[in-house]
Structures are given as structure tokens and as C-alpha cells.
Amino acid sequence: MNAFATVLRLSRMIIGHMQHLKRGLALPTALALLIVLSACGRNAAKAPPTAVTSATQTAGPTSTPQPTGWQCDLRVEGKNIDTPNGKRVVLHGANLPTLTVMENSGYKWDARLSDLAGGNARVVRLAINVKELTPTFVPAKVVPFVRLANDLGMIVILSWDATITDPVDDMVDDAEDWVRLEVDYLNNNGGVWFDLYNGMKDVSPARQKSIAQRLVDVARGFRSNNIILVNNPAWLFEADAAINQPLSGGNIVYGLNAGVVNTTTLSVNHVGDRSPFMVTRWGNVSSPLSVDVDLLKKIGIGTLVTSELVDTPNVPVYLADWWRASLVNWSTCRK
């Protein structure tokens, strides 16, 4: 296990300690220990002007930031994503690079979020790299990003930016640590989804399912109801009925790359009738319409576009128009 994983696990223990001790004793103790852990980990990058600048300003699940841009806790019902009053939604938006990349660029994350919201996006998928992690990364970096996106009416999909490859043990441990850290700070915030990993390579479909189920079980074991996104679920397309079943735990959406999205794909084992899907990789600079828009509308799955399409302040007009056509009105979703 690498040093980051150790630091993350110790940080999680502290948060648990805070939750079980009386408020007056827990905070000073946790503060002292977090200072020690911060010295052991990598130095955190300077937070953006709108960011929470210290882990002490958020205290885990009890102070999870709640979305103000809408009042809907979406849920998975069969193959659909529904509002509490049973209305189906299809979410459109963009993939974004890591916070580190955006902070080091001329196009900061707060400006990107504002531009995407103005372009009718309803979801953003934020890549998280293991090299970014410090004990204060989530409260000082991720939480402010989530708050602004939520205030602008957008859901945030926090994506563990890693492809799990054989040998998998350490990578799965790191992914599990990340899930636990998300739960610590963002548990049951309806404006946050947990994306377990980018995908898996050189891992059998049966083992892929086992790994994905383990990570889902971690979140559900902490009573987290956040929607979970699972990318490239190869086992669903296997012939063996003992393998090709959806994961248990509820509120799970599956992600597919653009190249495999068609009606034939989703008809295999009736997966399109059993579970909801999103396109998590679609479009590029040279060929932004690599998946036909009408096909996606016909299939009825949500779509994200790659970050290259939003690396300037101007969301392409055809995307803004398309997103507007299925724009979710959060203020009326309970009516």
C-alpha cells in the first residue's frame, strides 16, 4: 500500500473519531492529528478564492454541502433515472480534467462551471487523480467545486481517474480508499455521484463484477445512497446468466464509451431494459459528432462530452441547443 493510501486511511479514522466523540473534545483532537497528517503527506496546492481553505471548515458527513440549485434527489428506477415525483430525466454535460490541471491553466474551474451552466449543462464529471490527494484535498478542493456546481444547478460526478489493470490489488485498495473518503464528506448529497473508476483492463468480466460490487458495498455499508456510476460493465454482456446480472445495492448507473453505443449493444441480454446507461466518453476535437445525436435521443441515455470540447469559454452552439432540448427544471421536479 502506498503512502497516500496510508494517509487517507488514517484521515478516515480521525473523521470517525470525530463523529463518535463529544463535539468539544473531538474537534481539537482531530485538528491536532490532521496537522500531523498534513506534514506527512504532500503539500496541498493553494485553494481557489472561492474554496474552503481548511479541513476544519467541514466536518465530514454531518456537514455535507447540500445543493441549492435544485431540490431533487434523483434515483434509479429500472432503466431510468427519475425525480422523486417519478419524472424521467436525461442529463447532459461535460467531462472536465483534474482540478490540478484546471488550476494550472488559463481557464479556471469556476469559470468553466459558469460557462457550462450557461450552456445548459446539468452534469459535470470531474476527474480525480491519486497524485492530487492530500489529507485536506476533499474538503479544501473538491467540496468548493461541488458547492459551486450545485449552486449553478449541476450534478457533480466524481470520477476516480484510474484504469484498474492486473495485478489489481493495490489499485482496488486505492479505489476503495477514495470511495470511503467521498462518503466521509459527501454522503447522501443528491448533487454528487460516485464514479468508481475509468474502467478495467486485462481483468476477466467475472472479476470485474466482483471488484465493482466490492466498491459499491463499501459505499452502501456506510449508508450512502448517492448514485454510483460504473464504467464499461463487461460482465453484463457475457453469455453466462450467473455473471451477466446487474450489481446489487441500488442507485447504480452504467457508463459506456461512444464507440459501443447502439441499439444492438444495449439489446444484448436485454441490458438496456434492465439498467440505466450514460455515455461517459463522447466526441473529440476532430470529430465531435462521433455518435449521432438522433441515435442517442432514440436510445434515451444521458450523454457527456469530452473536456476538449469545453476548453474554451464557448460551449458549441449545437451542444447548447441539444442540452436545452432536455433541460431539467430542478425547481419543479417535486410537483
Side-chain angles (χ1 to χ4, degrees), residues 224-244:
S224 171
N225 292 321
N226 299 66
I227 290 178
I228 292 177
L229 177 62
V230 182
N231 283 299
N232 301 321
W235 65 87
L236 290 178
F237 305 98
E238 291 290 295
D240 188 348
I243 297 176
N244 63 27

Side-chain angles (χ1 to χ4, degrees), residues 49 82 230 236 321 327:
D82 292 342
V230 182
L236 290 178
D321 290 344
L327 193 64

